[in-house]
Amino acid sequence: MNGQTINNKRNNNRNNFKNLGFLIIIILLGLAILASSSNTSSKVDVLPLSQVISNANAGDYKSITVSANSNKLLIIPKKPSSVTLESYTATNASLKSLGLNYNKVDVIYKPQSSSSSIWLSIGEAILPVLLIGGVIFFMLKSVQGQGNQALNFGKSRARLYGNEKDKVLFKDVAGADESKQDLEEVVQFLKYPKKYASLGAKIPKGVLLIGPPGTGKTMLARATAGEANVPFFSISGSEFVEMFVGVGASRVRDLFSKAKKNAPCIIFIDEIDAVGRKRGSGMGGGHDEREQTLNQILVEMDGFEQGQNVIVLAATNRADVLDSALLRPGRFDRRVNINLPDRKDRAAILNIHFKSKPLAKDFDVDALAAKTAGFSGADLANITNEAAIIAARNSHSQILSSDVTEAFERVAIGPERKNKVMSDLDKKVTAYHEAGHALVGHVLPDSDPVHKITIIPRGGTGGVTWFIPPEDRIFSSIVQLKDILARGLGGRIAEEIIFGKNKVTTGASSDLQGAAELARDMVVNQGMGDKLRNQVFKNDESVTMDKLIHDRDYSDSTAKIIDEEIENLINEAANRARSIIKTNLSYLEKLKDVLLEKETIDSEEVAKILSGSKLPKTVTLY
Ligand code: ADP
Ligand code: MG
Ligand code: ZN
């Protein structure tokens, strides 16, 4: 399944062909040397012309051959000899006038030699050169093939996949339904470009796949090519970056020109953050090189003409560090998010990878899926493989439950995985926490509806609860912002109510930070404080010439009031959240239970679970 190994196999084939060619050339060379040496084995004796004429007149020679296009004479003596006799005349000189008696010897006049013999002699002269040249060429080629890149620095090392055998389809990627839906559109663009062109639609040039390592970004990119049935050029961002400036840029050029020749096709740039980091940020060495490479990528993408139909997919797990030039319209303006799989998807991934392995019939895949929250697809694939290895080592004819457990422990407890596995307690805390956000948001009438809740970790947080406004909003009112503050604290308050005041966790740190920022913005910039209504305050901090300049247009006593206002907003929000959760505790428990079971719940299901929850009378609505 792995592209790398398939590629190596193909390279080996090529090397075999190369070696065969090499052998043939050596044999030919040997034969040529043998042939030419047998030709020149006899000795040549060059005689003075006067002696030739006197010997001929004495009757020693059988014949003298004069050729039209050289002044060489070939002499055949009457007595056979191993020595070839030759002599030279002046051009156009007549042998008769030099005193040769034509009665004593046959003079053969050889006319202008036919062209074929000229070619023959030219061929004789050139053939060895060609052969030697060929040998050198093949030697260099095979040296390169062995990994010495001395002669093709600038060539991209893109790998081309197009073989039927290593084709990946969407059905081979378990779960990731939303990502697949987004990519299905790309498939349509590649398959039916005319349909879009006829309506004047521009086909996107770049699609960015964003997700944590091992979630199947590479696999999805290949599956997109597989579904569209187009060639797939794959290169990793780090391969562009070499120690010589300019190499990356020329590799980019080479890659894109190859791709254009094969259009429609997909170019896949893995780990694009290796070249696409924000420019001038001073991070990482090899600055110039990265910038040139990045610039070249941008130039090439701008250079696609419409209808060329090359789509560039790029993968990263750090979209935040990418240069904004990459994300502009006409470049990677489409994004596909790929997330860690939830329980249902994990079961599907495990099933895909266990399919080709003899698994004991009574093995409970769902139970394993439940245990592996926070694992990526690659981790799960790794478990199935380890399980097979362990079963083989234990000489089992099937993979038994005990083999899988051992494999799970090995993968889960591996050094870098340690923080990935969610303990049962973490899971429970996260479930209560997210249920708290959702419940408060659901009950408050001026909050947006819950879109989705998950307890699968994303981007450094334990879980996420999304609220999405039914329609885009430009302005927010005090009422709405106060509800946002309350639901933002709902997570921490739920933890506090369930586990106790001093058992709350660090899981709320970003919630608290967000709430503090929002409350300060309300008071300082929006004139939404209680006492300081309709007043705004300037509070700029800037650094010039190593000095911190604090530019603030209010007094210390006002600063104190501002701090109090912010504190009041936060306290009020916490109280509202607390009273909502306490009143609807049974709904919190219900939501938590479903979250622990399914890990991800969408808006409709949340609404169903929470229907019946009420706003307590103590909570003001403003
Ligand atoms: P990424 O590029 O996001 O780091 P890969 O595409 O290289 O991840 O995935 C690594 C391996 O993990 C794949 O070869 C595959 O075996 C497995 N894998 C990851 N996600 C899935 C999935 N959704 N379905 C099936 N296998 C998966
Ligand atoms: Mg990858
Ligand atoms: Zn939270």
Side-chain angles (χ1 to χ4, degrees):
M1 275 309 252
N2 189 306
Q4 198 76 39
T5 52
I6 284 158
N7 199 53
N8 285 344
K9 239 181 261 158
R10 220 177 276 155
N11 264 347
N12 282 344
N13 277 342
R14 255 201 6 234
N15 277 345
N16 286 344
F17 277 125
K18 234 187 257 170
N19 290 341
L20 198 68
F22 195 61
L23 206 69
I24 288 173
I25 283 194
I26 286 186
I27 290 171
L28 280 178
L29 196 70
L31 286 177
I33 288 169
L34 218 70
S36 63
S37 66
S38 71
N39 255 351
T40 54
S41 64
S42 54
K43 269 194 350 215
V44 177
D45 204 351
V46 179
L47 303 170
L49 190 59
S50 55
Q51 200 191 333
V52 171
I53 290 173
S54 66
N55 285 351
N57 288 347
D60 288 352
Y61 296 154
K62 201 169 147 216
S63 69
I64 297 176
T65 306
V66 186
S67 93
N69 48 3
S70 88
N71 43 8
K72 186 157 106 181
L73 301 176
L74 189 69
I75 299 145
I76 311 288
K78 282 200 174 134
K79 277 184 269 170
S81 133
S82 64
V83 183
T84 308
L85 298 177
E86 286 178 5
S87 185
Y88 293 89
T89 71
T91 325
N92 295 330
S94 144
L95 290 175
K96 198 169 195 175
S97 69
L98 292 170
L100 182 71
N101 185 349
Y102 278 26
N103 293 323
K104 294 284 186 184
V105 65
D106 294 334
V107 175
I108 303 162
Y109 184 76
K110 196 172 156 203
Q112 189 86 34
S113 61
S114 67
S115 63
S116 75
S117 72
I118 287 181
W119 286 124
L120 211 76
S121 54
I122 291 176
E124 259 170 20
I126 289 180
L127 195 68
V129 177
L130 281 181
L131 283 175
I132 291 168
V135 168
I136 291 174
F137 178 74
F138 273 106
M139 276 167 68
L140 287 180
K141 270 278 211 189
S142 63
V143 165
Q144 273 175 39
Q146 279 152 24
N148 181 339
Q149 297 287 325
L151 283 152
N152 71 356
F153 264 149
K155 288 276 161 57
S156 77
R157 283 186 240 160
R159 294 170 289 272
L160 174 66
Y161 303 86
N163 218 330
E164 285 298 312
K165 264 190 272 168
D166 38 283
K167 200 162 165 175
V168 179
L169 295 173
F170 281 156
K171 70 168 168 49
D172 301 316
V173 186
D177 289 336
E178 286 168 41
S179 320
K180 281 194 233 171
Q181 244 168 43
D182 292 344
L183 288 169
E184 176 57 36
E185 205 181 3
V186 174
V187 173
Q188 296 293 319
F189 291 145
L190 288 165
K191 262 186 162 167
Y192 311 108
K194 289 213 184 78
K195 194 165 98 187
Y196 295 88
S198 69
L199 291 170
K202 281 203 181 128
I203 287 172
K205 294 171 182 173
V207 179
L208 197 58
L209 308 176
I210 305 167
T215 43
K217 298 182 292 296
T218 307
M219 208 183 175
L220 273 168
R222 288 184 60 192
T224 310
E227 292 284 339
N229 206 8
V230 298
F232 180 72
F233 293 89
S234 155
I235 193 163
S236 168
S238 55
E239 287 172 52
F240 285 130
V241 184
E242 295 264 331
M243 43 190 170
F244 299 104
V245 172
V247 172
S250 83
R251 279 199 185 141
V252 173
R253 239 178 330 237
D254 183 61
L255 170 62
F256 278 76
S257 84
K258 262 189 209 156
K260 281 181 205 164
K261 279 184 212 131
N262 285 288
C265 69
I266 285 180
I267 295 179
F268 178 59
I269 306 178
D270 210 349
E271 304 165 39
I272 194 168
D273 38 307
V275 284
R277 273 170 188 274
K278 288 189 183 78
R279 283 172 290 189
S281 65
M283 278 153 74
H287 237 44
D288 283 352
E289 173 60 4
R290 275 202 305 106
E291 274 182 28
Q292 284 191 18
T293 308
L294 176 57
N295 283 340
Q296 193 63 37
I297 292 178
L298 299 179
V299 166
E300 294 287 348
M301 287 185 78
D302 289 344
F304 283 161
E305 288 133 40
Q306 270 309 312
Q308 206 146 33
N309 219 354
V310 177
I311 294 185
V312 186
L313 301 185
T316 179
N317 50 3
R318 306 269 341 250
D320 52 315
V321 301
L322 290 184
D323 196 290
S324 57
L326 269 175
L327 307 173
R328 271 208 342 238
R331 288 155 180 179
F332 292 99
D333 49 358
R334 280 185 186 237
R335 287 154 173 253
V336 174
N337 286 307
I338 298 155
N339 298 309
L340 286 175
D342 62 16
R343 179 170 167 175
K344 183 168 54 62
D345 288 350
R346 288 200 302 274
I349 294 172
L350 285 169
N351 278 324
I352 278 193
H353 288 278
F354 272 131
K355 207 162 73 184
S356 55
K357 302 177 175 71
L359 183 64
K361 283 219 169 54
D362 61 342
F363 181 76
D364 188 351
V365 172
D366 282 330
L368 178 58
K371 273 204 302 198
T372 45
F375 277 43
S376 68
D379 294 334
L380 297 170
N382 198 8
I383 291 182
T384 65
N385 192 50
E386 286 288 333
I389 290 171
I390 289 165
R393 202 188 54 207
N394 293 340
S395 310
H396 297 154
S397 61
Q398 278 186 323
I399 300 176
L400 303 182
S401 194
S402 58
D403 300 326
V404 183
T405 306
E406 201 182 329
F408 163 72
E409 277 161 10
R410 188 180 286 186
V411 172
I413 294 160
E416 87 266 36
R417 317 274 167 199
K418 216 166 202 161
N419 50 2
K420 267 192 176 176
V421 207
M422 277 174 97
S423 71
D424 282 346
L425 179 63
D426 280 350
K427 246 174 116 169
K428 200 166 136 193
V429 171
T430 309
Y432 273 118
H433 178 108
E434 299 307 329
H437 285 306
L439 176 61
V440 175
H442 180 84
V443 168
L444 287 173
D446 293 302
S447 162
D448 302 316
V450 177
H451 170 66
K452 198 175 185 180
I453 318 176
T454 179
I455 57 166
I456 295 298
R458 291 185 199 219
T461 65
V464 188
T465 301
W466 282 272
F467 296 90
I468 293 195
E471 54 204 26
D472 280 353
R473 232 189 355 243
I474 305 173
F475 305 119
S476 300
S477 63
I478 296 181
V479 188
Q480 286 163 337
L481 293 178
K482 283 193 168 180
D483 283 4
I484 289 176
L485 279 179
R487 80 181 187 217
L489 296 179
R492 163 58 66 93
I493 301 297
E495 289 182 43
E496 174 199 294
I497 291 171
I498 300 297
F499 299 101
K501 228 171 104 192
N502 292 323
K503 293 231 169 124
V504 295
T505 68
T506 51
S509 66
S510 63
D511 293 336
L512 300 182
Q513 211 173 326
E517 274 164 27
L518 175 57
R520 175 165 290 275
D521 183 60
M522 286 170 73
V523 175
V524 173
N525 301 316
Q526 312 298 344
M528 289 177 171
D530 226 5
K531 289 181 208 141
L532 302 172
R533 189 59 57 96
N534 303 336
Q535 292 184 55
V536 295
F537 303 93
K538 187 168 159 192
N539 186 3
D540 292 334
E541 269 181 12
S542 56
V543 183
T544 29
M545 304 290 287
D546 298 336
K547 253 194 304 200
L548 179 71
I549 295 182
H550 203 150
D551 182 11
R552 159 182 128 168
D553 65 356
Y554 48 89
S555 67
D556 281 353
S557 59
T558 311
K560 213 172 147 227
I561 303 177
I562 290 177
D563 289 345
E564 279 165 19
E565 294 268 56
I566 294 169
E567 205 185 317
N568 288 342
L569 278 173
I570 299 285
N571 283 339
E572 179 189 72
N575 289 334
R576 295 173 81 209
R578 195 171 289 118
S579 120
I580 291 171
I581 293 174
K582 278 191 169 157
T583 313
N584 297 291
L585 216 47
S586 64
Y587 293 94
L588 185 81
E589 295 286 350
K590 240 202 291 183
L591 196 52
K592 171 219 66 171
D593 288 338
V594 181
L595 271 174
L596 280 178
E597 192 205 319
K598 295 196 175 166
E599 295 178 358
T600 305
I601 324 182
D602 61 16
S603 57
E604 280 139 52
E605 201 164 358
V606 173
K608 219 162 73 195
I609 296 166
L610 294 183
S611 88
S613 56
K614 303 188 281 293
L615 188 74
K617 288 194 184 68
T618 48
V619 172
T620 26
L621 279 181
Y622 305 99

